[in-house]
Amino acid sequence: MDGHQSLKSPVFDVKVWVCLSDEFKVIDVSKSILGTITKRKPKLDGLDSLQQELKNELQGKKFLLILDDNWSEDRKKWDHLRTPFLVGKPGSKIIVTTRSKDVAKLVTSVPNVLYLLNVMSEEESWSLFESVAFPEGSDKAFPTLKKIGQGIVDKCKGLPLAINEVWSSTSKILPSLWLSYYHLPHHIQQCFAYFSLFPKYYQFQMEEMVMLWVAEGLIERTPEMEPHEDVARGYFTHMLLNFFIQESSSGGSGFFLHDLVHDLAKYVSRGLCVDWLNINSQSRRLSYIQWEDKVLLYQFKVQKLTYLRTFLPLRKRHNELLLPRRNWASEPYLDNKILSDMLSNFKFLRVLSLEGYPISMLPASVGDMKLLRYLNISRTHIECLPPRICHLYELQFLILCSCQKLERLPANIVDLVNLRYLNVDGTRLKEMPDGIGRLKNLQMLSKLLLGKEKKITNSGLNNITDKHVIDAHFEKKEYVDELVLDWGWIDERDTTLDEGVLDAIQAHENLKELTVNCYGGKSLSTWIVGMTPSFNIMLRSLCINSCFNLETLPPLGNLRALLNLTIMGSKCIKSLGVEFCGSSSGCLPESIEELTITNFPYLESLSGVLPTLKNLKWLE
């Protein structure tokens, strides 16, 4: 449109605005729309007859229909409701407003085309507030009232519904927020209430909340037995799609709660999550901002909070918490005696964080916290962990990142059978304790730090990326004789990252035994057999087990020292021929003494392989 044209509002023959209830009925909405159009109460009761009369009223007319505040995710209900509106004149519009992205995706006529409304500017916010609070104009209002009104507008952060309701509502919690909250499934309501642990304006990470929710036991077990972390991420995404959580506009991956949503979280937590203002001897979860904590710890005798389940001091980061700025290079202080007295009384803790405190030793009493599931001692001065920490058999999350003086882990850490997450980024660890691969529940290991073990078993590779593998420097482990790589059952997971992880391993050529279990890629990496015959590969035993997605096997002619070859389980390989041998002679290495090929349901031919095996012991 150029500057000589004027913007004209569309002309509609029929205009209807209907506010949908929480669980609306199609017949009631149809009656309401028909009544608005005809200016009389419909006499018909059947849905079919109502919708037929609606069609008659709309036939050949351009209409505007606004369906306000839709919550229903029932596609069948939506299809029934919109049936009469397919007869309108070209240019007719249906506008649906909702607080749920899932609902918006359901009703849109163009896939993935949604209109996300931004918040209002300060000027627009004040204009709306002025219209509802001062109908005759704010010029006639007392200065005190005007100042209060400006404070209310600032608290609403540009949300028009909040501005309108906060003036008309006598309740601290807005009715629209209550409706949104009650629409959440019960198990997600508990996780939403947990946000009350954090102060207003605090920016949190999704993975931070996932770990805390899992550790607190807030995640409901699903019939599909999904990992708790995946279920928790689903909860987080649900709240994000329904606008309980907002993405930070400052960039990065942070999230926060709107002021009024935070008020709701505080209210529904019913005092279970507290700070220094409302603490008492029965409190279960305590969080606070570090720095002024020393005096408060003395004043409130926090060591007497024997029923405490969560002790969560929060770091004061100027880019994540909009609080008065101080000297960010300095550290919060926690007196050693307070720490020792406090922890010795916290027998029921599930969550303990001492992140950022300049402590050099973790009290031995931590080993008595038999129920502890989450321990975060990141950015401390700790040099070693007490051996009794290995008695915390319920521990699921151990976060040690940026402990720059930490050089080793206790040998018995492999006894933490429920450990799901171990973060050692930014430490001075040179190796992991022997047997770290026995931790079957480990979902995330931030770095693979392998020591001078003759045999290394790495299970849980399905949760490790190629970057983690590169950090492990397998190519420098010349003393490793045997390597076992285990991804976990293919049918139970996503296998898209498997090839990148295996390619990144690049084991040293001195490796003598290699086992690859449940690998989900379509081909094996070239480092296993060497790029050319000049490679001095010392591999004597190769076992490829339950790698059902494999379409080809590597050419084995370069493995001149190979004695034992076992290949078990493939649903895609149909033939093993000369290309499988790989050498110029078209033969497998003459050194092979034992060959096992089994569970190849679609194998049709085995040509050019068997006659070359002079020392063959057996073939299955």
Side-chain angles (χ1 to χ4, degrees):
M1 182 180 294
D2 59 39
H4 300 288
Q5 293 177 304
S6 61
L7 181 63
K8 294 183 178 180
S9 300
V11 177
F12 295 100
D13 302 312
V14 177
K15 300 177 183 177
V16 181
W17 183 305
V18 178
C19 185
L20 302 180
S21 61
D22 186 13
E23 289 295 336
F24 69 85
K25 294 181 180 179
V26 175
I27 190 168
D28 292 338
V29 176
S30 300
K31 277 185 179 182
S32 179
I33 295 172
L34 183 58
T36 302
I37 295 173
T38 62
K39 303 294 191 294
R40 64 178 184 271
K41 185 177 180 180
K43 296 180 180 179
L44 304 171
D45 290 326
L47 179 60
D48 291 341
S49 54
L50 278 169
Q51 293 198 331
Q52 184 58 52
E53 188 169 346
L54 260 178
K55 287 181 181 180
N56 296 337
E57 291 290 338
L58 297 174
Q59 189 72 45
K61 297 178 182 177
K62 188 195 296 189
F63 65 84
L64 171 64
L65 172 62
I66 298 177
L67 300 173
D68 191 23
D69 205 16
N70 183 17
W71 286 90
S72 176
E73 298 180 19
D74 187 335
R75 176 173 290 279
K76 187 176 180 181
K77 182 184 288 189
W78 170 247
D79 288 340
H80 285 165
L81 179 61
R82 69 189 183 98
T83 298
F85 306 106
L86 303 177
V87 300
K89 189 177 179 180
S92 297
K93 304 291 183 185
I94 300 178
I95 297 176
V96 181
T97 69
T98 181
R99 279 171 266 178
S100 168
K101 285 187 180 179
D102 288 334
V103 172
K105 291 176 182 177
L106 174 73
V107 303
T108 182
S109 57
V110 182
N112 297 319
V113 176
L114 314 172
Y115 294 94
L116 298 177
L117 300 180
N118 291 322
V119 297
M120 298 189 301
S121 66
E122 290 184 16
E123 184 179 344
E124 292 168 334
S125 298
W126 175 252
S127 177
L128 174 60
F129 182 81
E130 189 179 39
S131 68
V132 296
F134 309 115
E136 298 180 3
S138 60
D139 293 338
K140 298 182 180 181
F142 291 107
T144 303
L145 289 178
K146 196 171 179 180
K147 186 176 180 180
I148 293 172
Q150 289 170 341
I152 292 174
V153 169
D154 182 61
K155 182 180 179 67
C156 293
K157 305 295 184 186
L159 295 181
L161 185 63
I163 292 171
N164 186 64
E165 288 192 359
V166 78
W167 179 254
S168 59
S169 175
T170 57
S171 169
K172 180 181 179 181
I173 307 302
L174 303 184
S176 57
L177 289 181
W178 273 121
L179 178 61
S180 300
Y181 173 73
Y182 284 122
H183 216 75
L184 290 174
H186 174 69
H187 43 279
I188 299 183
Q189 288 181 357
Q190 295 182 77
C191 293
F192 170 71
Y194 198 81
F195 283 120
S196 64
L197 261 177
F198 303 93
K200 287 185 178 180
Y201 315 116
Y202 183 83
Q203 288 193 21
F204 47 84
Q205 305 293 317
M206 179 172 71
E207 290 305 308
E208 174 185 14
M209 299 310 304
V210 164
M211 288 187 284
L212 289 170
W213 290 342
V214 173
E216 294 277 9
L218 301 179
I219 305 305
E220 190 176 68
R221 185 177 296 277
T222 63
E224 297 81 14
M225 301 296 289
E226 295 177 80
H228 284 178
E229 290 83 354
D230 290 346
V231 178
R233 293 183 190 102
Y235 292 0
F236 193 96
T237 301
H238 184 93
M239 284 188 272
L240 182 63
L241 291 175
N242 286 277
F243 303 103
F244 286 92
I245 301 170
Q246 294 178 249
E247 292 186 63
S248 171
S249 58
S250 60
S253 56
F255 300 87
F256 70 101
L257 265 59
H258 186 280
D259 278 19
L260 299 174
V261 176
H262 189 275
D263 288 344
L264 175 63
K266 275 283 193 185
Y267 188 85
V268 299
S269 71
R270 297 179 180 88
L272 292 179
C273 302
V274 300
D275 54 23
W276 295 122
L277 297 178
N278 50 17
I279 193 171
N280 61 67
S281 61
Q282 301 300 313
S283 297
R284 295 293 188 270
R285 297 185 174 104
L286 171 67
S287 71
Y288 60 88
I289 303 301
Q290 294 171 340
W291 300 92
E292 293 87 7
D293 44 24
K294 180 183 176 184
V295 174
L296 292 169
L297 285 167
Y298 274 121
Q299 181 179 347
F300 290 97
K301 299 180 180 179
V302 71
Q303 63 268 29
K304 296 187 180 296
L305 301 177
T306 54
Y307 294 103
L308 208 63
R309 293 175 53 134
T310 302
F311 184 76
L312 194 65
L314 302 173
R315 298 183 67 221
K316 197 174 188 179
R317 294 167 284 196
H318 71 277
N319 62 330
E320 295 188 11
L321 195 60
L322 305 181
L323 293 170
R325 188 181 176 115
R326 292 180 179 270
N327 178 12
W328 302 107
S330 61
E331 295 176 315
Y333 177 72
L334 185 61
D335 183 86
N336 286 332
K337 185 178 187 307
I338 294 179
L339 177 63
S340 179
D341 291 347
M342 179 177 67
L343 296 186
S344 64
N345 285 283
F346 290 171
K347 304 293 186 183
F348 302 108
L349 274 189
R350 268 74 163 176
V351 170
L352 172 61
S353 175
L354 298 172
E355 179 183 5
Y357 282 116
I359 56 175
S360 57
M361 182 183 301
L362 195 63
S365 58
V366 172
D368 296 326
M369 298 177 185
K370 302 302 182 183
L371 302 177
L372 195 66
R373 299 174 182 173
Y374 175 101
L375 177 60
N376 184 355
I377 49 177
S378 300
R379 299 175 180 86
T380 62
H381 299 171
I382 286 176
E383 300 177 10
C384 63
L385 298 177
R388 291 180 64 188
I389 200 174
C390 301
H391 297 163
L392 302 177
Y393 301 122
E394 297 296 323
L395 192 65
Q396 298 175 331
F397 302 95
L398 180 56
I399 307 173
L400 307 170
C401 60
S402 299
C403 291
Q404 298 180 2
K405 296 185 178 182
L406 184 65
E407 297 186 354
R408 60 185 176 86
L409 295 176
N412 290 337
I413 199 170
V414 297
D415 293 337
L416 299 178
V417 294
N418 286 303
L419 196 65
R420 307 172 71 88
Y421 181 97
L422 177 58
N423 190 335
V424 294
D425 283 341
T427 65
R428 293 187 179 181
L429 291 180
K430 296 181 176 62
E431 61 185 45
M432 287 290 181
D434 292 355
I436 194 72
R438 297 204 307 267
L439 295 176
K440 301 299 183 183
N441 289 312
L442 198 62
Q443 302 289 316
M444 174 63 187
L445 177 61
S446 64
K447 280 188 178 181
L448 287 171
L449 298 164
L450 306 176
K452 296 184 178 181
E453 302 180 56
K454 289 295 183 180
K455 177 179 178 180
I456 295 175
T457 300
N458 287 300
S459 58
L461 287 174
N462 51 303
N463 293 301
I464 290 175
T465 67
D466 52 355
K467 179 184 181 301
H468 296 136
V469 173
I470 291 171
D471 288 341
H473 296 294
F474 279 88
E475 75 281 359
K476 297 180 181 179
K477 310 300 182 184
E478 71 276 4
Y479 39 77
V480 173
D481 289 338
E482 182 177 355
L483 180 61
V484 178
L485 305 173
D486 190 352
W487 273 262
W489 285 107
I490 291 176
D491 292 341
E492 299 175 358
R493 62 182 180 81
D494 179 8
T495 62
T496 54
L497 298 178
D498 290 13
E499 290 188 8
V501 171
L502 185 59
D503 287 343
I505 287 177
Q506 295 287 336
H508 194 275
E509 62 184 19
N510 287 352
L511 185 69
K512 295 180 175 60
E513 298 182 37
L514 173 64
T515 299
V516 180
N517 286 328
C518 300
Y519 167 73
K522 295 181 179 180
S523 61
L524 293 171
S525 302
T526 54
W527 64 262
I528 294 175
V529 296
M531 298 293 288
T532 68
S534 62
F535 273 67
N536 188 27
I537 303 296
M538 302 302 296
L539 202 63
R540 296 179 182 177
S541 175
L542 174 61
C543 176
I544 302 168
N545 180 36
S546 299
C547 302
F548 295 115
N549 293 346
L550 276 180
E551 296 178 353
T552 60
L553 289 171
L556 302 179
N558 297 342
L559 301 179
R560 290 169 290 181
L562 192 64
L563 299 176
N564 302 306
L565 174 61
T566 301
I567 310 172
M568 298 185 293
S570 173
K571 298 178 181 179
C572 301
I573 294 177
K574 295 183 178 180
S575 66
L576 296 175
V578 175
E579 73 286 348
F580 169 51
C581 302
S583 64
S584 57
S585 63
C587 301
L588 286 174
E590 294 185 1
S591 58
I592 290 183
E593 297 178 353
E594 186 173 305
L595 172 65
T596 302
I597 299 177
T598 185
N599 196 12
F600 275 56
Y602 301 104
L603 185 63
E604 298 173 355
S605 64
L606 192 65
S607 60
V609 178
L610 297 183
T612 66
L613 303 179
K614 298 178 182 179
N615 299 317
L616 178 65
K617 279 188 177 180
W618 53 272
L619 168 69
E620 183 179 331

